Amino acid sequence: MNTSVTLLAGGVGGARLAHGFARALDALTCVVNVGDDTERHGLHVSPDLDTVMYTLAEMNDEERGWGLTGESYATLTQLERLGEDTWFTLGDKDLATHVVRTARLRSGEPLSAVTAGLAGALAVTARLLPVTDDPVRTRITTPSGELEFQEYFVRRQHADAVLDLAFDGIEDARPAPGVLDAVTGADLLVVAPSNPFLSVEPVLGVPGVREAVRSTAARRVAVSPIVGGRALKGPAAQVLESLGHDVSALGVARLYAGLVDVMVIDAADEALAEPVRDLGLEVLVTDTIMGGPDGRERLARELLALA
Amino acid sequence: MNTSVTLLAGGVGGARLAHGFARALDALTCVVNVGDDTERHGLHVSPDLDTVMYTLAEMNDEERGWGLTGESYATLTQLERLGEDTWFTLGDKDLATHVVRTARLRSGEPLSAVTAGLAGALAVTARLLPVTDDPVRTRITTPSGELEFQEYFVRRQHADAVLDLAFDGIEDARPAPGVLDAVTGADLLVVAPSNPFLSVEPVLGVPGVREAVRSTAARRVAVSPIVGGRALKGPAAQVLESLGHDVSALGVARLYAGLVDVMVIDAADEALAEPVRDLGLEVLVTDTIMGGPDGRERLARELLALA
């Protein structure tokens, strides 16, 4: 199929939909959040980029949703013995990605070039772009104080209420080479069923990206990450709630109204189609729960039909 | 035993004798070569320090002489897949050492402090000192051109003739904190049966170290790494030969004459005792081939008896 698709993505939800598109067409560009990038043991880790990359390479651990299949943890066990904090799980194979990324970043390559090299080595044919080569770091204000993103997400298992969010560095971040063109030049622009605040906002918030989404001639579609009032994965429901939004596909639609043309909601939320239409959005009601590769491809093809 | 021993050491030979001393006494300081330190995949690797550390921790692979027992290679295999040169073998557990060392060096800790931290985490009680915190890098001139040390040693398996040696940075290197005191304050100073040119010279060549060896009140002993005209391990024989020295305990003794008081040669070389004495050196003829831990301790105790 010749339609070109650009997907704005966070981690798991974005990765699964990216996989569906990659099976359906050639011209896929994923613009990925880097707000949850972190440094562990001196290594630069890009969890969302890696989840999308590993999923596209069909090497990811489908059960956990992150990391690689068939992982071992010999290095992590030894890191612990050497006195390192090891609450952030890093597998032996996964570590190779971070070691190479770190070495290439330190040698002066931008993250986008490093990402292209890694994805190419893993035979990923979709284009994988960090939204920016500049550092953006998500910080979460909770009742227990301000937390670095992975501290909130992994160490404390996103159990804290999110009172506020900040994306350090985002005002000065420039879109990575290719990002704006990918948004303005696509036939179909898709906001993945990723966390609107933790994954999508730090993509849209990079200066120029939201404006490109507003001005693109592409058909613009967002998929709700909330189904039946719950998030399929991760803390999207809690974050919406604690920031004062409806925990529903309607609450998500309100966030994207004015930015996208079509809201995709799950069949379980059919009753919300009318109020979403009242926001001025078209609505596609379908099965949004992607199971395995076939389900991902089916959803991707339904979205392609909207273009 | 209350005797304090300082050992000038390279890799395997130094590590084994260090292990013998550590079993025999408490007050052991190892001053270790860093000329073969290298950067692999952006990680700082200190092969000699690690061989001594792992041996003292009784975690080293005795058969190979380097690396850790029970190693796996999941990260290295993945590094290769990502397009990295992987001729320098790094095990998963071993990588943890390099990851931690690199992170701590980048955060500003000197190598000596990093080394103390790593050794402490592995319950090594002997003091392990890099001869210097400054970068010293051994380069080898061969008929095929100049090679970085590990290129010569590992990649080309020390098959090239050594025409010349250089230790980049050594003129500006300062002895690490504690090194000079360890040399001047010891009861017994031992030059390990390590390669005189590749391992011992970049230790002695750090400004101040050779002078400290000359002026110390310690009893000074060197153990020949050449037995019966051959090196027990590594390229000591070839290097001696290609640099124009006798490939024998006598050739080694000539290098250390004026610097040490006692030359320790193997029983197989008893015939050389007289010519070594003629250089003005005392001679101890004994079994210098350390097998397992007991053999190492036996040799260490024989050397202690010289103090």
Side-chain angles (χ1 to χ4, degrees), chain A residues 82, chain B residues 50 53-54 93-102 118:
Chain A
L82 295 177
Chain B
D50 288 346
M53 180 170 75
Y54 294 157
K93 286 196 282 184
D94 186 34
L95 262 163
T97 302
H98 315 314
V99 165
V100 170
R101 175 187 291 121
T102 305
L118 291 169

Side-chain angles (χ1 to χ4, degrees), chain A residues 122-146:
Chain A
L122 297 181
V124 170
T125 52
R127 194 156 59 131
L128 202 56
L129 294 176
V131 63
T132 178
D133 284 329
D134 299 316
V136 172
R137 293 295 174 270
T138 303
R139 284 182 299 116
I140 317 270
T141 304
T142 73
S144 313
E146 197 176 75

Side-chain angles (χ1 to χ4, degrees), chain A residues 220-243:
Chain A
R220 300 164 304 181
V221 176
V223 182
S224 173
I226 302 288
V227 172
R230 303 174 61 178
L232 290 177
K233 197 165 176 79
Q238 300 101 292
V239 177
L240 279 164
E241 183 169 25
S242 59
L243 293 177

